[in-house]
Amino acid sequence: MLKGITLKLYPNKIQQDQLALMFGNDRFVWNQMLSMMNERYANNKKLPFLGKYKLDYLLKPLKQEHSFLKKSDSTSFQVVNASLNQAWKNFFNDKTGRVRKPKFHSRKYLRQSYTGKSTIKVVGKRYLKIPKLGYVKSSKTTCLKDCKIKRYTLSLEATGKYHLSLQVEAPKLKEFPKTGKAV
């Protein structure tokens, strides 16, 4: 059974700088891929749009061209490509005319975030090991016992607080035996 859990994070100054870089890198990849897809669509509207696997294939040359992208979690770029692919699918499959083409992301958003698929490990009672960040102090980790983390989203709120939203696969809860009595 999938469920969501949100934790507060307390990164140190170095980790906050790394998170700002990762937020910017995700935005950069979105904008680069969207620019390429817009140009391709403008040149020939009859060409099929690129799927997420073809977009993932384009990440390697993009990383070689821009070396600062190597400092981010690569699974977050795959999630960005999947989101962009879904946005284009929604644009093409919309019959009502309400869905517009995907837009470029600005750095002036109040809420910045990135989503990844890598493994996060619970290290101690209040510490998590996150890829490319290391050990980060969190609010609580006892709720993650017996859970497998599928996907995570790190976000910075407008108030300056960091949150980690986890999608976890939790074991099913045991049902109580039926007694046939009314409460």
Side-chain angles (χ1 to χ4, degrees), residues 26-43:
D26 270 15
R27 186 176 54 249
F28 179 79
V29 168
W30 172 278
N31 289 339
Q32 288 292 315
M33 293 295 180
L34 180 59
S35 172
M36 188 246 342
M37 290 179 83
N38 282 340
E39 190 175 317
R40 178 182 162 98
Y41 182 68
N43 288 339

Side-chain angles (χ1 to χ4, degrees), residues 168-181:
V168 298
E169 188 173 337
K172 282 198 164 195
L173 298 173
K174 291 188 276 181
E175 291 187 17
F176 292 112
K178 298 190 182 207
T179 61
K181 297 180 181 177

Side-chain angles (χ1 to χ4, degrees), residues 11-76:
N12 59 29
K13 181 65 178 151
I14 296 169
Q15 291 168 338
Q16 288 177 5
D17 293 341
Q18 177 69 20
L19 281 169
L21 177 77
M22 292 167 97
F23 297 150
N25 286 349
D26 270 15
R27 186 176 54 249
F28 179 79
V29 168
W30 172 278
N31 289 339
Q32 288 292 315
M33 293 295 180
L34 180 59
S35 172
M36 188 246 342
M37 290 179 83
N38 282 340
E39 190 175 317
R40 178 182 162 98
Y41 182 68
N43 288 339
N44 188 354
K45 295 186 185 214
K46 293 186 175 52
L47 281 176
F49 70 95
L50 298 175
K52 68 178 182 178
Y53 296 112
K54 290 182 181 177
L55 288 174
D56 288 345
Y57 185 74
L58 294 173
L59 283 175
K60 189 173 182 181
L62 190 66
K63 277 185 172 181
Q64 289 173 349
E65 187 177 338
H66 305 283
S67 62
F68 59 88
L69 293 176
K70 293 179 182 174
K71 295 179 183 175
S72 284
D73 184 13
S74 61
T75 62
S76 68

Side-chain angles (χ1 to χ4, degrees), residues 113-135:
S113 66
Y114 88 91
T115 302
K117 299 185 293 187
S118 299
T119 56
I120 292 181
K121 295 180 183 169
V122 177
V123 179
K125 187 174 181 182
R126 293 187 58 175
Y127 284 92
L128 298 168
K129 185 172 184 199
I130 302 173
K132 300 286 185 177
L133 284 177
Y135 300 100

Side-chain angles (χ1 to χ4, degrees), residues 98-109:
R98 292 184 201 159
V99 179
R100 295 184 217 156
K101 278 193 343 183
K103 294 183 178 181
F104 291 100
H105 288 177
S106 169
R107 70 175 73 163
K108 295 180 183 176
Y109 285 139

